[in-house]
Amino acid sequence: MALTTRGGAGGAGGGDPAKPPSASDPSLGFLTKRDTEVKLPRATRVKNKTPAPIQITAEQILREARERQEPEIRPPKQKITDTHELSEYRLRKRKEFEDVIRRVRWSVSAWVKYARWEEQQRDFARARSVYERALDVAHRDHTLWLKYAEFEMRNRFVNHARNVWDRAVSLLPRVDQLWYKYIHMEELLGAVANARQVFERWMAWRPDTAGWNSYIKFELRYGEVERARAIYERFVAEHPRPDTFIRFAKFEMKRGEVERARRVYERAADLLADDEDAEVLFVAFAEFEERCREVERARAIYKYALDRVPKGRAEELYRKFLAFEKQFGDREGIEDAIVGKRRFQYEDEVRKNPLNYDSWFDYIRLEESVGNEDRIREVYERAISNVPPAEEKRYWQRYIYLWINYALYEELDAQDIERTREVYKECLRLIPHKKFTFAKIWLMAAQFEIRQRNLKSARQILGNAIGVAPKGKIFKKYIEIELYLGNFDRCRTLYEKYIEWSPANCYAWRKYAELEKNLSETDRARSIYELAIAQPALDTPEVLWKEYLQFEIDESEFGRARDLYERLLDRTKHLKVWISYAEFEASAGLGSEESESEEKKDEVGYQEQQMERVNKCRGNDQLKNNSTLSNRICFCFYY
């Protein structure tokens, strides 16, 4: 009745006119589609977005989830009351283990679990059988052997355990753990002889240092010092390393055998002097001597080590030596140690960059301050062996001073004349003279021979320099030497070669003419000047012309000087030439009594000549805009 009433009310309320709401689908029975449709809740709009006064943390959520979790369902414990149930239980468990093994035959853990279960059941034969079956599958797995042997040891089957250990170490002799466990078992049983025998078997396989150390400790535990010493001898023969020798020496030192310890260190120093870890050995040796109050021995060891150990690996050695000298040394010893530390720093620098010549210079200065000739020469030789990589002069400019300093050291400090000569020869042979040269080296070699009063060798060196790599500086110095010696013919020959090599060099022409002028060879000097100004190209022609003019004026050859001015004005109309010409005319005094008596020129013709010069002067482009200077020049010509 209520359903009908609700339906009627719905029909009165409206609906589909073609199909009234009370009409039902035959497949739905008496329910309508509206009754069966799924209605999802409408999204709720959050009106208040402020945080709640009580916040819930993630920790609270997890704790509540943990508290509401249902307890774990555990299977009920089975209580076995008779032998039949026990047999059934064992049969069922063995079947489960066998099924697991069939599925994962290679899994060692599955076999071990099976064997341990059999062990818990006190069925040792079956457990042993499981281990043997497992070894057929994974006999290379040393953990399986360990579990098997430990099973036998736990249950006090000593002979079975020995058998397992023997088989294990025979099959896997490189696994140290098997040997350790085997020896430990024999020690626990008090079978020291058996343990020693196992160690000997192990040593035959030449193990690492840990195995030998274990053998030595084993012998020392039982007071067998001589046996331990013999083992150490075999140990250092098998592993000749600094750490093994140091351990052997400490063993002897601990027992008060100082001489034996010293002999061990000495053997090691002879045998391992070139080893890469020799620094550690020498430091330990020196500290041993220091503890024995043998200060001089320790100092000798440090110095020997510093000479043998490469500088790149001797940082700790230098530090120890410096500390030793500060404690036991005198002023000289401390200075030597400090020098050694600085030497190490320079060695490190030149090792990182052999072409850093500034570091070599600093290193050489350090060695020269010490004064050891052999070491100084060694550093010089090492420095000059680092030839620049390219044949370009800019790379050689710093390098060449190493040779210069080397030669000066041999001459002045070492006073070895022959070595100095060899240094100069080797340097001159090394320089690629076809690409560039260094006049300084040629001149220093020649001056060295002059200081040795060997003039012939000096001339030979300078002659070779001129022939191989002529330079102006070489010519100048060679001429200066010959001029000092008064060999004027040689000077003339050198000037001629100088001019042939550089005909545009006004300096050579001027000095050649000056030489002839000083020798009162006026005609030769004039000829040289004439040849010079006739050259098609000169570097400083104005200087040459000026000296030529001054030469003629000094010789009172005013007519020649005037002709030179005229020839110069034919080549250039430069302002300075006009000024010089005018001043020359003013100083020469063409209107003076001496000039008039000698030349006896016609006055009318002379005035006409002066007017032409004045017109020339005023027509010069450089004087058009300078009326004062133009009037000055004209005044000089008139008066």
Side-chain angles (χ1 to χ4, degrees):
M1 188 69 177
L3 182 62
T4 305
T5 304
R6 189 166 56 249
D16 188 359
K19 187 175 182 180
S22 59
S24 61
D25 193 346
S27 61
L28 299 176
F30 63 90
L31 297 174
T32 63
K33 288 185 177 180
R34 182 177 297 175
D35 295 333
T36 58
E37 71 176 343
V38 179
K39 294 182 180 180
L40 298 175
R42 186 176 61 184
T44 305
R45 293 179 63 188
V46 180
K47 297 180 180 179
N48 185 6
K49 296 183 179 181
T50 58
I54 301 175
Q55 297 291 318
I56 301 175
T57 62
E59 182 181 359
Q60 290 174 328
I61 296 172
L62 294 174
R63 188 167 58 249
E64 289 181 6
R66 180 71 177 174
E67 290 173 355
R68 295 181 183 183
Q69 201 172 27
E70 293 182 358
E72 182 181 357
I73 300 175
R74 297 181 179 179
K77 290 184 179 181
Q78 182 181 4
K79 294 184 179 180
I80 299 173
T81 57
D82 56 12
T83 57
H84 295 288
E85 290 182 359
L86 179 61
S87 300
E88 290 178 0
Y89 164 73
R90 287 177 175 174
L91 181 63
R92 185 173 66 253
K93 290 294 289 183
R94 287 189 180 111
K95 185 176 183 302
E96 291 175 2
F97 279 120
E98 292 291 342
D99 292 339
V100 171
I101 287 171
R102 275 195 297 272
R103 287 197 304 271
V104 286
R105 183 177 177 81
W106 58 88
S107 176
V108 175
S109 61
W111 289 100
V112 172
K113 287 180 181 178
Y114 189 7
R116 284 184 175 175
W117 182 82
E118 294 288 1
E119 183 183 359
Q120 290 173 0
Q121 301 301 315
R122 311 299 292 175
D123 195 341
F124 302 121
R126 284 183 180 274
R128 191 175 291 115
S129 175
V130 172
Y131 276 119
E132 292 292 340
R133 289 168 60 195
L135 289 174
D136 291 337
V137 177
H139 62 281
R140 291 288 178 185
D141 192 338
H142 70 281
T143 58
L144 183 59
W145 288 100
L146 291 173
K147 300 295 184 184
Y148 190 8
E150 288 172 356
F151 152 72
E152 299 287 6
M153 292 167 61
R154 271 197 308 270
N155 297 286
R156 301 180 183 278
F157 298 115
V158 177
N159 290 328
H160 281 284
R162 284 195 179 111
N163 184 23
V164 173
W165 288 124
D166 281 332
R167 291 164 60 195
V169 297
S170 299
L171 189 64
L172 303 172
R174 295 299 178 187
V175 180
D176 294 346
Q177 191 175 6
L178 296 175
W179 294 101
Y180 285 129
K181 291 284 187 179
Y182 190 6
I183 295 165
H184 180 62
M185 183 194 76
E186 295 291 356
E187 277 201 86
L188 289 177
L189 295 173
V192 178
N194 290 344
R196 185 177 291 116
Q197 186 178 2
V198 175
F199 265 122
E200 288 295 334
R201 288 175 59 190
W202 187 14
M203 296 304 108
W205 286 99
R206 304 174 67 180
D208 58 3
T209 57
W212 289 94
N213 290 329
S214 299
Y215 192 8
I216 293 166
K217 290 178 181 178
F218 164 78
E219 295 292 357
L220 292 177
R221 279 198 297 271
Y222 297 99
E224 298 289 344
V225 178
E226 290 299 326
R227 286 181 179 273
R229 184 175 289 116
I231 295 168
Y232 262 122
E233 292 289 346
R234 295 164 57 193
F235 183 21
V236 297
E238 187 68 35
H239 296 280
R241 301 205 307 253
D243 57 331
T244 59
F245 277 100
I246 293 171
R247 188 182 292 272
F248 188 11
K250 287 182 178 179
F251 161 78
E252 298 289 2
M253 190 64 183
K254 189 180 292 184
R255 277 144 190 83
E257 299 288 345
V258 178
E259 289 300 323
R260 286 179 180 268
R262 183 175 289 116
R263 283 199 295 272
V264 171
Y265 277 122
E266 289 172 355
R267 284 169 52 195
D270 293 338
L271 185 63
L272 305 175
D274 298 327
D275 191 85
E276 61 181 7
D277 295 328
E279 177 193 4
V280 179
L281 174 65
F282 285 118
V283 169
F285 192 5
E287 289 178 347
F288 160 76
E289 296 291 357
E290 185 179 342
R291 285 193 297 271
C292 295
R293 304 296 181 184
E294 295 287 347
V295 177
E296 291 303 323
R297 283 178 176 270
R299 183 176 289 109
I301 291 167
Y302 276 122
K303 291 183 178 180
Y304 175 79
L306 292 173
D307 293 336
R308 296 298 297 270
V309 177
K311 302 301 183 292
R313 301 198 299 263
E315 183 176 0
E316 180 68 14
L317 189 62
Y318 278 113
R319 190 178 65 81
K320 292 284 187 180
F321 183 40
L322 183 58
F324 169 79
E325 287 294 346
K326 287 181 179 178
Q327 184 177 359
F328 299 103
D330 52 5
R331 180 186 180 91
E332 183 178 355
I334 295 173
E335 289 178 355
D336 289 342
I338 294 172
V339 167
K341 186 174 182 180
R342 291 177 58 193
R343 185 181 291 123
F344 168 75
Q345 294 173 353
Y346 289 135
E347 283 288 347
D348 187 55
E349 291 179 9
V350 299
R351 178 175 53 84
K352 291 178 180 177
N353 185 9
L355 298 178
N356 185 2
Y357 300 120
D358 290 332
S359 297
W360 285 110
F361 284 122
D362 294 338
Y363 194 3
I364 290 167
R365 280 195 292 269
L366 173 67
E367 295 296 347
E368 287 180 348
S369 65
V370 176
N372 189 336
E373 289 188 4
D374 294 335
R375 189 180 289 275
I376 294 170
R377 283 174 178 152
E378 178 192 355
V379 177
Y380 267 121
E381 292 293 337
R382 289 171 56 198
I384 62 179
S385 64
N386 296 293
V387 182
E391 292 185 351
E392 296 183 22
K393 191 168 185 177
R394 59 193 179 97
Y395 294 121
W396 288 64
Q397 286 175 342
R398 192 68 175 152
Y399 168 73
I400 207 67
Y401 278 95
L402 289 172
W403 287 95
I404 293 174
N405 289 355
Y406 191 10
L408 292 176
Y409 167 76
E410 292 291 353
E411 181 185 1
L412 301 178
D413 295 340
Q415 297 182 355
D416 193 333
I417 304 304
E418 289 302 321
R419 287 185 68 92
T420 307
R421 187 174 286 113
E422 290 298 323
V423 169
Y424 279 122
K425 285 182 181 179
E426 187 64 23
C427 179
L428 292 173
R429 187 191 62 80
L430 185 65
I431 297 172
H433 299 289
K434 292 183 179 180
K435 295 187 177 181
F436 59 87
T437 189
F438 292 94
K440 181 185 290 293
I441 296 295
W442 291 103
L443 295 177
M444 290 186 69
Q447 289 169 351
F448 163 73
E449 295 294 349
I450 292 172
R451 286 193 296 272
Q452 306 307 316
R453 301 183 180 180
N454 193 349
L455 192 59
K456 182 179 179 181
S457 297
R459 283 175 174 156
Q460 185 178 0
I461 291 171
L462 293 173
N464 290 337
I466 291 173
V468 174
K471 293 190 75 173
K473 189 182 293 185
I474 298 174
F475 278 108
K476 292 175 187 177
K477 196 66 180 177
Y478 196 1
I479 292 168
E480 180 183 342
I481 293 170
E482 295 295 349
L483 188 61
Y484 181 78
L485 296 173
N487 296 321
F488 302 118
D489 291 336
R490 284 184 179 272
C491 292
R492 289 191 180 102
T493 305
L494 290 173
Y495 272 123
E496 289 171 5
K497 291 185 178 294
Y498 194 2
I499 291 169
E500 287 177 9
W501 173 67
S502 178
N505 191 341
C506 289
Y507 175 84
W509 290 104
R510 287 163 40 219
K511 289 297 181 180
Y512 192 9
E514 184 180 344
L515 171 67
E516 298 295 353
K517 183 172 65 173
N518 293 335
L519 296 175
S520 300
E521 295 286 348
T522 307
D523 294 336
R524 292 178 66 93
R526 186 175 289 113
S527 300
I528 293 168
Y529 277 125
E530 287 294 334
L531 288 173
I533 63 176
Q535 296 299 317
L538 293 170
D539 52 3
T540 54
E542 65 278 2
V543 178
L544 184 64
W545 278 92
K546 183 177 180 180
E547 288 203 5
Y548 191 9
L549 287 167
Q550 190 62 39
F551 166 74
E552 295 293 358
I553 293 171
D554 292 342
E555 295 294 329
S556 299
E557 296 288 345
F558 299 114
R560 290 180 180 274
R562 189 174 293 108
D563 292 339
L564 279 176
Y565 271 118
E566 295 295 338
R567 289 162 63 187
L568 182 57
L569 287 173
D570 290 339
R571 294 193 178 191
T572 179
K573 304 296 182 182
H574 197 275
L575 172 63
K576 291 183 179 180
V577 177
W578 285 104
I579 295 173
S580 177
Y581 192 9
E583 291 177 349
F584 162 71
E585 291 293 355
S587 61
L590 281 177
S592 63
E593 295 179 358
E594 184 179 356
S595 300
E596 289 176 0
S597 62
E598 289 180 358
E599 297 182 2
K600 296 182 181 178
K601 292 186 177 180
D602 183 56
E603 187 174 351
V604 177
Y606 179 73
Q607 292 294 335
E608 292 177 357
Q609 184 180 4
Q610 298 303 323
M611 288 298 295
E612 289 178 3
R613 290 179 177 175
V614 170
N615 292 332
K616 278 184 182 181
C617 184
R618 286 178 175 171
N620 189 2
D621 293 337
Q622 296 181 6
L623 296 177
K624 284 181 180 180
N625 298 326
N626 197 334
S627 58
T628 304
L629 188 59
S630 175
N631 294 332
R632 176 186 170 192
I633 294 173
C634 293
F635 177 80
C636 292
F637 276 123
Y638 275 118
Y639 301 102

